[in-house]
Amino acid sequence: MPSILDSKCILVTGATAGIGRALALEIAKLPSKPKVIGSGRRQDRLDQLSEAGIEGMQLDVNADRETLKKFVDNLVNKNPDLDTIVLCAGIQRQFNFQKEVDLDAISLEFNVNYFSVVTTITYLIPHFVRLAATGRKCSIITVTSALSVIPMPLVPNYCATKAALHSYTMSLRAQLQSANIHVAEIVPPLVESELHDAEGTTERLSKFWMPLDEFTNTVMEGLKKGDTVVAAGNAKTHYEQFEQPKEAIFAQTTKALLQNLN
């Protein structure tokens, strides 16, 4: 499987905070010296990344399809060697369905965490197919969550978006296998992050989360090895217990279907 060390040009979304920022900074330090492009909403944070040699491209992933298409076209035109994407952008909101629920907030969370990811990947796949056909090692890396395996009722929609992304990632991996495009999944546990600031739960959760440095080191080791699934902490335990048994069954049931698809 391709290692992150094989990558020549890498896009990291959500690179202005949390997991995305930490991974972008660590990838930029690799001895293979890949070009790293970080995208995010906040220009001041992107400017800070430039000090670490990371090229910033401003993007709010909660955009319409036309905007995302323009971003992808511009990205590929400027970086024809782009061979890896790490899709980290995400938000998390609490909802209590015994009380009034803001459906616009539900839609926003779904769009940021799932639909924008699928849209971006869809627009980038033709580029990756062409590049992989030349022998270049290409990778698509999504970021899901331990909550895609065992949900937490306080954030029901977040859990559902990550479960959807996990399922999509499995199917995408199977579909793109014949095109020699590596599809991997990062599965974080509760990790030190600004993700929880919007709901005011950061202080409480900080007593339980995995330090960001520890998580980042674990993920980088997995990416260097070319692991298909990179999980850490209790996410690794839950994934191995509940998701790994599905993989053999999934492979068996999809083999014939994929032959017809291709």
Side-chain angles (χ1 to χ4, degrees), residues 130-146:
R130 289 191 295 269
L131 201 58
T134 69
R136 186 70 162 270
K137 294 180 178 179
C138 297
S139 297
I140 296 171
I141 304 169
T142 63
V143 178
T144 59
S145 171

Side-chain angles (χ1 to χ4, degrees), residues 1-258:
M1 291 295 181
S3 162
I4 197 74
L5 296 170
D6 297 317
S7 301
K8 307 299 182 186
C9 183
I10 303 166
L11 169 71
V12 181
T13 70
T16 53
I19 289 171
R21 181 177 183 276
L23 287 176
L25 290 170
E26 287 304 309
I27 291 170
K29 296 176 185 176
L30 289 173
S32 52
K33 301 187 183 302
K35 179 178 182 179
V36 181
I37 304 158
S39 72
R41 292 182 294 110
R42 291 170 284 191
Q43 186 60 50
D44 59 328
R45 296 283 186 94
L46 293 174
D47 292 341
Q48 292 171 10
L49 288 176
S50 67
E51 298 173 6
I54 297 170
E55 179 181 319
M57 291 186 70
Q58 193 169 29
L59 174 68
D60 182 352
V61 296
N62 184 39
D64 57 38
R65 279 179 282 177
E66 182 180 356
T67 300
L68 291 175
K69 181 67 163 60
K70 287 180 179 178
F71 173 82
V72 168
D73 289 345
N74 186 36
L75 172 70
V76 172
N77 287 337
K78 288 184 175 180
N79 304 278
D81 284 341
L82 179 75
D83 54 21
T84 301
I85 53 173
V86 187
L87 298 148
C88 300
I91 59 173
Q92 186 182 98
R93 298 290 183 265
Q94 294 183 18
F95 297 100
N96 183 345
F97 282 85
Q98 289 196 39
K99 300 179 180 179
E100 184 176 356
V101 170
D102 184 347
L103 289 175
D104 288 336
I106 292 274
S107 178
L108 170 65
E109 190 173 38
F110 175 82
N111 191 51
V112 170
N113 293 356
Y114 180 75
F115 191 65
S116 72
V117 176
V118 174
T119 302
T120 301
I121 290 172
T122 301
Y123 289 144
L124 276 168
I125 282 176
H127 166 72
F128 282 139
V129 168
R130 289 191 295 269
L131 201 58
T134 69
R136 186 70 162 270
K137 294 180 178 179
C138 297
S139 297
I140 296 171
I141 304 169
T142 63
V143 178
T144 59
S145 171
L147 299 181
S148 70
V149 181
I150 300 178
M152 183 171 67
L154 285 176
V155 288
N157 193 55
Y158 177 84
C159 302
T161 64
K162 293 300 186 177
L165 186 57
H166 165 59
S167 177
Y168 167 78
T169 301
M170 288 183 66
S171 295
L172 186 70
R173 182 182 302 123
Q175 286 198 15
L176 296 184
Q177 185 175 3
S178 62
N180 293 319
I181 299 173
H182 177 57
V183 179
E185 178 181 358
I186 297 171
V187 190
L190 177 63
V191 176
E192 177 186 357
S193 172
E194 296 176 23
L195 180 71
H196 315 287
D197 289 357
E199 297 294 341
T201 56
T202 298
E203 183 176 354
R204 184 168 76 248
L205 295 177
S206 66
K207 300 174 184 177
F208 308 103
W209 63 29
M210 174 181 280
L212 182 57
D213 288 347
E214 180 182 348
F215 171 76
T216 304
N217 290 337
T218 299
V219 170
M220 289 302 298
E221 287 304 309
L223 294 179
K224 289 174 186 177
K225 291 188 293 183
D227 290 345
T228 298
V229 176
V230 184
N234 68 348
K236 186 174 188 295
T237 302
H238 294 163
Y239 194 92
E240 290 175 349
Q241 183 176 358
F242 296 106
E243 295 302 309
Q244 276 189 349
K246 297 179 184 178
E247 293 178 2
I249 300 171
F250 176 79
Q252 291 174 354
T253 57
T254 58
K255 185 176 181 180
L257 291 173
L258 288 172

